[in-house]
Amino acid sequence: DTAVSQTPKYLVTQMGNDKSIKCEQNLGHDTMYWYKQDSKKFLKIMFSYNNKELIINETVPNRFSPKSPDKAHLNLHINSLELGDSAVYFCASSQEGRAETQYFGPGTRLLVL
Amino acid sequence: AQSVTQLGSHVSVSEGALVLLRCNYSSSVPPYLFWYVQYPNQGLQLLLKYTSAATLVKGINDFEAEFKKSETSFHLTKPSAHMSDAAEYFCAVSDFQGAQKLVFGQGTRLTINP
């Protein structure tokens, strides 16, 4: 049973295109996140949702739009892709609270050409 | 604001040797600290976490970490390295801004030599 799943695993696209990444968790968690990992492996939070409501938006360009249709899903749509968007995007989920463990998906490797 | 510094972007040890990965934190409130491991082409997995209970925290795969407030450190150790420990290790501190916000260090790549 996959706890946090993401699709697709790999995404290769041209600059200027629009793409979406989907995330689903079957852990019953209330909170979901998107992280970006750059080529130097640095991980930074992008967004956090709690019960379908946006809680954290870390000064991400508005070309990135998260959408949470229900608390088990958090999708990431990216408009007008740029070269600098090439990275690995991770979805994660947790229960609510500062001490909770976040469970990460396998990542989506995005390459913008 | 919370922050984490991992000393050493790359650590190399021999199989069977002690593993020591260093993490120092900065936090304006009592910190909650985490160590995550990332195996190649995979997501992150929790090794252990400190949430203000015992200062010596034991995790999976014989890893442990000790919280030292006086040194603002949370170093990760394992007595005897296995080849399967080769991975990227991340220390993180937890902030809360309506939701948990993990602030990660730069990561340390651990290589195990046979």
Side-chain angles (χ1 to χ4, degrees):
Chain A
D1 264 355
T2 304
V4 182
S5 59
Q6 294 179 229
T7 52
K9 192 164 184 176
Y10 299 97
L11 195 48
V12 181
T13 188
Q14 300 287 331
M15 261 196 324
N17 284 351
D18 303 338
K19 290 293 178 185
S20 292
I21 306 171
K22 296 187 175 183
C23 177
E24 176 180 3
Q25 56 97 0
N26 62 7
L27 298 168
H29 290 159
D30 292 327
T31 308
M32 296 185 72
Y33 312 81
W34 279 109
Y35 287 87
K36 180 180 181 180
Q37 185 174 47
D38 64 22
S39 58
K40 295 184 178 173
K41 300 283 189 179
F42 184 64
L43 265 164
K44 193 171 189 316
I45 190 169
M46 300 172 69
F47 301 104
S48 169
Y49 268 74
N50 185 276
N51 276 321
K52 304 191 296 176
E53 182 184 348
L54 179 65
I55 303 296
I56 293 175
N57 181 341
E58 280 290 297
T59 60
V60 178
N62 58 15
R63 297 182 297 103
F64 290 78
S65 52
K67 283 191 171 49
S68 182
D70 56 61
K71 73 173 195 178
H73 295 85
L74 180 61
N75 304 323
L76 184 64
H77 188 75
I78 316 170
N79 289 327
S80 303
L81 278 155
E82 300 177 357
L83 294 177
D85 298 333
S86 295
V88 182
Y89 293 86
F90 288 101
C91 177
S93 73
S94 75
Q95 294 288 14
E96 194 175 350
R98 191 171 156 233
E100 296 299 323
T101 298
Q102 291 190 18
Y103 293 83
F104 285 77
T108 296
R109 283 148 186 83
L110 172 64
L111 178 60
V112 182
L113 302 174
Chain B
Q2 270 81 327
S3 67
V4 162
T5 301
Q6 292 182 238
L7 298 173
S9 59
H10 189 193
V11 170
S12 183
V13 302
S14 298
E15 193 173 15
L18 172 73
V19 174
L20 171 60
L21 304 182
R22 299 177 188 274
C23 172
N24 288 87
Y25 69 89
S26 172
S27 178
S28 54
V29 298
Y32 290 169
L33 295 159
F34 301 74
W35 274 102
Y36 281 85
V37 61
Q38 183 180 24
Y39 298 105
N41 297 316
Q42 293 186 30
L44 280 74
Q45 177 185 357
L46 181 74
L47 276 176
L48 48 82
K49 63 181 178 182
Y50 168 76
T51 57
S52 74
T55 56
L56 182 62
V57 181
K58 293 188 184 299
I60 62 171
N61 300 337
D62 295 327
F63 281 95
E64 63 181 38
E66 187 171 8
F67 173 71
K68 291 187 177 180
K69 184 178 177 181
S70 61
E71 299 177 8
T72 61
S73 69
F74 189 56
H75 301 332
L76 182 71
T77 60
K78 179 172 179 173
S80 177
H82 292 176
M83 296 299 290
S84 59
D85 295 326
E88 193 88 21
Y89 291 79
F90 293 93
C91 183
V93 63
S94 175
D95 196 355
F96 196 83
Q97 298 176 358
Q100 186 192 54
K101 178 183 168 183
L102 285 180
V103 177
F104 285 92
Q106 308 92 311
T108 298
R109 176 180 293 182
L110 177 64
T111 301
I112 312 296
N113 302 313

